[in-house]
Amino acid sequence: MTNVGPNKTAFVSGASRGIGLACARALAETGVHVVLAARDALKLEEASRGIPNSTWVTIDLSSADSIKEAFAKAGKIDILVNNAAVTKDGLALRMKKDDWDSVISTNLTGAFLAIQQVLQHMMKARWGRIINISSVVGESGNPGQANYVASKAGLIGLTKSLAQEMASRNITVNAVAPGFIETDMTAVLSQEVKDNIIGHIPLKRFGRAEDVAAAVRFLASEEAGYITGAVLNVNGGMYM
Ligand code: NAP
């Protein structure tokens, strides 16, 4: 079992389902206290009931006030997993500014503001782990997703800059870039699109939320203490 260390608290955004929920479970298994966060209180309550050693708090990452409130309720955070994200796909030519703004605001600005809420405690404790969930498309680009891809590429830049700013305080900052993972986000794809995608994945399958959670748990661990500024691909080899 990966050693994350006793008496630590992790905050996982977007933890009501999918990859975030799997990350919350994986971290809780190591003995860490986990705070699950998302917008829907009912779903959070249900998710948290299934994870011993967890609590939950509502957060809307598109709102600076909501972010402040949620972290004030959550208390001191040692491990932050910025996982929540939304998509509003469309070709750039016709993309509405609102669709650009809302995706950047939730996925990138929300992650940045969440980081600002946890840095002071981590700096004081001289220990911290920040893990930003990016995406394979943040590295490769993807037509029809200019807003989402910009947010995910932005998270990689944020990760590398912050890793350099925070290294002297023993705070590591890394990104995980999942490929295509079976969750609600990809359930909307037609079978034809899915078959086409699998054709481009060397490991010939979609990933599972648990595949991503294992990488997050590792980056949160003591064993990963010398890794910072990295982008860990969990993509079946579809982008190298
Ligand atoms: P998902 O199933 O759509 O879940 C998204 C989570 O984020 C939910 O818990 C949702 O809960 C929460 N959320 C959405 N908007 C929010 C907001 N404004 N404030 C707070 N929470 C919000 O997504 P997923 O597939 O698990 O993806 C998780 C992460 O992995 C995302 O960063 C995604 O970009 C990344 N990723 C996924 C894939 C994939 O194939 N699935 C591939 C690459 C990267 P509420 O709606 O209740 O708020």
Side-chain angles (χ1 to χ4, degrees):
M1 174 72 64
T2 317
N3 174 22
V4 176
N7 307 321
K8 298 254 177 356
T9 300
F11 186 105
V12 183
S13 71
S16 57
R17 59 177 191 259
I19 291 170
L21 179 55
C23 289
R25 279 202 195 103
L27 288 167
E29 275 169 15
T30 69
V32 166
H33 175 75
V34 183
V35 182
L36 284 71
R39 288 168 302 183
D40 186 327
L42 282 178
K43 285 204 182 121
L44 282 171
E45 192 184 6
E46 194 187 328
S48 175
R49 236 183 287 129
I51 305 177
N53 209 21
S54 77
T55 52
W56 59 273
V57 65
T58 55
I59 191 169
D60 180 354
L61 282 156
S62 66
S63 154
D65 288 344
S66 170
I67 293 170
K68 263 193 201 151
E69 237 175 75
F71 279 92
K73 282 186 196 149
K76 291 174 178 162
I77 301 302
D78 307 289
I79 300 160
L80 172 65
V81 183
N82 275 317
N83 164 80
V86 290
T87 52
K88 284 199 178 150
D89 298 351
L91 291 173
L93 185 66
R94 280 187 287 275
M95 188 175 284
K96 301 238 168 25
K97 182 171 180 292
D98 279 357
D99 289 348
W100 171 271
D101 286 344
S102 70
V103 168
I104 297 291
S105 159
T106 300
N107 299 6
L108 181 57
T109 311
F112 170 68
L113 294 175
I115 287 167
Q116 283 194 319
Q117 295 297 312
V118 300
L119 282 182
Q120 236 161 25
H121 165 67
M122 289 181 181
M123 286 167 72
K124 219 166 157 190
R126 301 194 78 81
W127 196 98
R129 297 279 188 269
I130 296 171
I131 300 157
N132 296 317
I133 307 299
S134 178
S135 169
V136 61
V137 300
E139 301 172 291
S140 67
N142 201 26
Q145 288 198 304
N147 49 0
Y148 178 76
V149 169
S151 75
K152 294 298 176 178
L155 279 177
I156 292 175
L158 172 62
T159 298
K160 291 181 180 181
S161 297
L162 197 70
Q164 292 177 40
E165 284 185 26
M166 288 297 141
S168 65
R169 310 300 177 107
N170 195 34
I171 299 167
T172 67
V173 189
N174 293 289
V176 171
F180 281 83
I181 309 296
E182 282 168 359
T183 69
D184 290 356
M185 200 177 255
T186 48
V188 294
L189 302 174
S190 70
Q191 196 52 49
E192 195 189 341
V193 171
K194 284 185 184 171
D195 290 344
N196 184 31
I197 293 167
I198 288 172
H200 292 94
I201 302 175
L203 284 174
K204 291 292 167 234
R205 66 169 176 89
F206 273 32
R208 290 179 283 266
E210 290 71 24
D211 294 323
V212 181
V216 168
R217 179 170 56 193
F218 169 63
L219 288 172
S221 72
E222 288 297 341
E223 288 90 334
Y226 198 57
I227 300 174
T228 196
V231 182
L232 182 46
N233 292 335
V234 184
N235 65 20
M238 73 178 286
Y239 181 88
M240 298 181 187

